[in-house]
Amino acid sequence: ATSVTYEKVDGKANITAEFAANPGKESYDYATIYPASGYVSATGLDKVTLSLPAVQTMAEDSYDPNADLMVSEVVATSAQPAEAQMVSFTRMAAVVKMTLKNFTLEAGDQVEQVIFTAEGKTLAGTITADLAKPNGFAAAEGVDNVTVNTTSSSDVYFTVLPATLEAGDAYTITVLTGKKIYIKMGTVPEGKSLVFEAGMVTRFGVDMAEVEPIDKWVLVRDASTLAEGDI
């Protein structure tokens, strides 16, 4: 598209896209990707690189809308359309609601970030997809953690790429506050699994009762980079 505008009318998304005239083709195929930042590159609709951010900023009682990676079904026409086309979206990511249980902060302290890590799993990063069958994507460059910017000390919402933690798989929850760092390490119990499925919401709780905080280190520039007068 040469330009795209978006508006919400009566609770519905209206997307207006303009394309340069391109007559004489046998077919015209269109797909929509949301959010725009989720698009990285494409060599065709059958090979598109998309991205799910590893750093997300939680909305109020909800996940980061910029981490709600979605693609529409491909609209195929025999001519460039001049009238509205209905499009249906599918979510590429799984939505997670993680509840921090028995978590009490010191007076005057506040959560700043929560990091969820699952070693060996691809939770965020870039993927390569065929938009005609987007849920069969392959991970390109992935990371095993998601960092959530939030002040919530209870429910933490974020999105991840589809993954399954089987019994025995390890995970780590790191909570950074203004004063402390809390680290909870655990494994999925025998006979259980933690499934993150595209388009679905996974809810689970983490007991922080016995987690002892450690003092938060403040990072400073290496002394070799300081110029006279910096101190």
Side-chain angles (χ1 to χ4, degrees):
T2 56
S3 69
V4 178
T5 58
Y6 167 88
E7 62 179 347
K8 185 169 69 172
V9 179
D10 297 330
K12 295 181 180 181
N14 289 345
I15 303 167
T16 301
E18 294 184 1
F19 296 85
N22 189 18
K25 303 294 183 182
E26 292 184 1
S27 65
Y28 297 84
D29 299 332
Y30 300 90
T32 306
I33 298 166
Y34 176 88
S37 58
Y39 171 78
V40 177
S41 63
T43 55
L45 292 185
D46 61 340
K47 192 172 183 181
V48 179
T49 301
L50 306 172
S51 176
L52 185 76
V55 179
Q56 304 174 14
T57 299
M58 198 180 103
E60 184 176 359
D61 296 326
S62 186
Y63 54 89
D64 187 343
N66 291 314
D68 190 13
L69 183 61
M70 298 189 291
V71 300
S72 73
E73 293 180 351
V74 176
V75 175
T77 63
S78 59
Q80 287 184 284
E83 64 281 339
Q85 304 288 317
M86 293 296 294
V87 293
S88 298
F89 284 87
T90 184
R91 278 193 167 86
M92 305 288 286
V95 178
V96 181
K97 178 184 178 182
M98 181 175 68
T99 301
L100 305 177
K101 298 181 177 181
N102 302 312
F103 184 51
T104 304
L105 296 176
E106 294 182 4
D109 202 4
Q110 181 174 271
V111 172
E112 294 180 347
Q113 287 184 327
V114 177
I115 304 170
F116 178 78
T117 303
E119 187 176 349
K121 306 297 180 180
T122 300
L123 301 183
T126 56
I127 59 175
T128 302
D130 179 349
L131 296 191
K133 42 186 177 181
N135 292 122
F137 64 80
E141 295 183 17
V143 295
D144 65 359
N145 60 86
V146 171
T147 297
V148 185
N149 297 318
T150 180
T151 58
S152 176
S153 59
S154 54
D155 294 334
V156 180
Y157 294 83
F158 54 98
T159 66
V160 297
L161 294 173
T164 299
L165 277 67
E166 305 285 0
D169 284 345
Y171 62 86
T172 303
I173 290 90
T174 306
V175 181
L176 288 79
T177 72
K179 299 178 180 180
K180 302 287 185 178
I181 300 175
Y182 300 78
I183 301 175
K184 168 77 174 188
M185 302 178 69
T187 57
V188 178
E190 190 68 32
K192 302 288 185 179
S193 62
L194 188 57
V195 180
F196 302 126
E197 184 179 351
M200 304 298 289
V201 180
T202 298
R203 299 174 176 86
F204 67 97
V206 179
D207 190 356
M208 304 290 288
E210 298 182 1
V211 177
E212 293 292 333
I214 58 177
D215 290 332
K216 186 176 180 181
W217 289 83
V218 178
L219 298 179
V220 296
R221 285 186 294 172
D222 185 283
S224 64
T225 68
L226 297 177
E228 185 178 353
D230 282 353
I231 300 176

